[in-house]
Amino acid sequence: MRADARRNYDRIVEVAREVFREQGYDASLDEIAKRAGVGPGTLYRHFPKRENLLDAVMQSWVDRVNEAVAKALTHEGSDRELLLGWFEEYVRLISVHRGAPAKITSAMGDPDSPIMTKCQVLARANDRVIEHLREDGAIRDGVETLQVCRLVGGVATVADQGDLDPDAVRPMLAVVADGLLR
Amino acid sequence: MRADARRNYDRIVEVAREVFREQGYDASLDEIAKRAGVGPGTLYRHFPKRENLLDAVMQSWVDRVNEAVAKALTHEGSDRELLLGWFEEYVRLISVHRGAPAKITSAMGDPDSPIMTKCQVLARANDRVIEHLREDGAIRDGVETLQVCRLVGGVATVADQGDLDPDAVRPMLAVVADGLLR
DNA sequence: ACCTGAACACCGTTCAAGT
DNA sequence: ACCTGAACACCGTTCAAGT
């Protein structure tokens, strides 16, 4: 990759992260290009679809997911508290910007999605928590990771689109947790 | 209302319902106007915001909701079956077209939404089911109707956006039901 | 009172010309 | 190999002119 291309790529991603946070995932790509100081064609060369840009924006986020799940697993306390704590963290993690929870959760089952690798990171993190609790015999039979991702992702999506605050979200996550635990 | 205005109004609503079903809630208003044989200005005169059009489209749907809840309440069988059956019906009811579950669920808490009256119908229906089960002492403490609407609406939203089939949705609804029941 | 349709603004997307 | 920016298509929204 040529030096100027690399520089443009990085600037676009940085600006996109900023603009997505300010205006949500529907933000104008034209504005992102302008703020990054490149022509619209340059943005399209690097990111043919909006989702490719999202994937790049989420790159640095992967580490945070892995740190968060490691921390959640060390939690001292009841299984219910551990699970609930992880769900709250999960919601925070996928709420990268407005529109993100919906986008991420609907890509969760799709192997052809441009953000597939990010979904896998998230699914694996979730899986570690579920398997940890399953070893304690705390999880009901027939519970699948993908299901859990979609349930918690659904809560995050509703919270995102309805602009709910965490106090309204926690009881919903508690219902999901209770439905999963024995 | 003048006769020609009435006629245009009705045709727009009828066409909108059709186009929303074909192409989802993001469909072009221009196309709706064209198919209804009116100018774009006419559509805007009757429906200043897209949500006003959605509200009109959902008008005839109100009766179906009330019929569905009445039928659900007569169900013979366990509380869990009754609740689960109602949830499946609820998901079907708000899945009027692509994009509808998200729109309806996020309007659920907002008293200023153009589709507020439709949300009230839905909330009231849900409330009847919850109260019915609460009389049996089957519902956990602290459960609110709005919460339940958002939880089931979240599942419907994920199903809608991820194009899931009913077999993938039912187990998710079962988790929510188990989390609400004692 | 209501309708029409031209006009404007905005945005995504492409591509020929340039370095 | 990569970038630029003009050009096109599409869509939401407004409004002057018409009936």
Side-chain angles (χ1 to χ4, degrees):
Chain A
M1 203 172 197
R2 230 166 61 178
D4 55 344
R6 166 95 268 159
R7 194 168 42 81
N8 281 335
Y9 181 100
D10 290 341
R11 292 181 64 175
I12 290 170
V13 172
E14 193 183 356
V15 169
R17 185 156 32 223
E18 199 177 297
V19 174
F20 283 163
R21 282 204 70 85
E22 281 174 26
Q23 311 183 14
Y25 186 56
D26 298 328
S28 156
L29 297 180
D30 226 63
E31 185 177 334
I32 293 174
K34 274 207 184 66
R35 278 211 216 174
V38 301
T42 303
L43 194 150
Y44 272 82
R45 157 168 278 267
H46 289 298
F47 309 102
K49 304 174 87 175
R50 187 181 288 264
E51 286 172 300
N52 295 325
L53 187 51
L54 175 59
D55 188 66
V57 162
M58 290 175 75
Q59 192 57 53
S60 66
W61 158 101
V62 168
D63 292 336
R64 278 205 298 273
V65 174
N66 290 324
E67 286 164 23
V69 71
K71 190 173 175 186
L73 287 171
T74 66
H75 179 84
E76 302 283 341
S78 70
D79 290 335
R80 189 174 186 276
E81 273 174 21
L82 189 154
L83 188 59
L84 201 46
W86 164 245
F87 282 171
E88 292 191 61
E89 192 58 39
Y90 186 96
V91 170
R92 266 194 295 277
L93 284 166
I94 69 173
S95 300
V96 203
H97 50 248
R98 234 173 342 108
K103 200 74 211 165
I104 294 169
T105 304
S106 66
M108 214 72 204
D110 177 13
D112 297 332
S113 168
I115 62 167
M116 172 210 46
T117 60
K118 307 297 172 289
C119 290
Q120 283 176 351
V121 167
L122 211 51
R124 229 188 97 52
N126 216 327
D127 204 36
R128 287 179 64 188
V129 175
I130 298 296
E131 285 310 316
H132 175 88
L133 292 173
R134 211 195 292 277
E135 282 167 21
D136 296 4
I139 298 285
R140 302 196 198 208
D141 295 334
V143 171
E144 291 168 31
T145 300
L146 184 54
Q147 237 176 57
V148 179
C149 290
R150 282 175 175 156
L151 274 163
V152 182
V155 172
T157 299
V158 169
D160 179 49
Q161 290 172 355
D163 208 28
L164 308 185
D165 56 52
D167 287 349
V169 175
R170 205 171 305 115
M172 295 170 65
L173 294 176
V175 170
V176 174
D178 286 332
L180 294 169
L181 293 167
R182 226 179 267 280
Chain B
M1 203 173 197
R2 228 166 64 180
D4 55 345
R6 168 93 269 159
R7 195 168 41 81
N8 281 334
Y9 181 100
D10 290 340
R11 292 182 64 175
I12 290 170
V13 173
E14 193 184 356
V15 169
R17 186 156 31 223
E18 199 177 297
V19 174
F20 283 162
R21 283 204 70 85
E22 281 175 24
Q23 311 183 15
Y25 187 56
D26 298 328
S28 156
L29 297 180
D30 226 64
E31 185 175 335
I32 293 174
K34 273 206 184 67
R35 278 211 217 174
V38 302
T42 303
L43 193 151
Y44 272 83
R45 157 166 278 265
H46 289 297
F47 309 100
K49 303 173 86 174
R50 187 183 287 265
E51 286 172 299
N52 296 122
L53 187 50
L54 176 59
D55 189 65
V57 162
M58 290 175 74
Q59 193 56 53
S60 65
W61 157 101
V62 169
D63 292 336
R64 278 206 299 272
V65 174
N66 290 324
E67 286 164 24
V69 71
K71 190 173 175 186
L73 286 171
T74 66
H75 179 83
E76 302 283 341
S78 70
D79 290 336
R80 188 173 187 277
E81 272 173 23
L82 188 153
L83 188 57
L84 200 46
W86 165 246
F87 282 171
E88 293 190 59
E89 192 58 39
Y90 186 97
V91 171
R92 266 193 296 275
L93 284 166
I94 69 172
S95 300
V96 203
H97 51 247
R98 235 175 339 110
K103 199 75 211 163
I104 295 170
T105 304
S106 66
M108 214 72 203
D110 177 14
D112 298 331
S113 167
I115 61 165
M116 173 210 44
T117 60
K118 307 296 172 290
C119 291
Q120 282 176 353
V121 167
L122 212 50
R124 227 187 100 49
N126 217 326
D127 204 36
R128 288 180 62 188
V129 175
I130 298 296
E131 286 310 317
H132 175 88
L133 291 173
R134 212 194 292 277
E135 283 168 20
D136 295 4
I139 298 286
R140 301 195 198 208
D141 295 333
V143 171
E144 292 168 31
T145 300
L146 184 54
Q147 238 176 58
V148 179
C149 290
R150 284 175 173 155
L151 275 163
V152 182
V155 172
T157 300
V158 169
D160 179 49
Q161 291 171 356
D163 208 29
L164 308 185
D165 56 50
D167 288 348
V169 176
R170 205 172 304 113
M172 295 170 64
L173 294 176
V175 171
V176 174
D178 287 332
L180 295 169
L181 293 168
R182 226 179 266 280

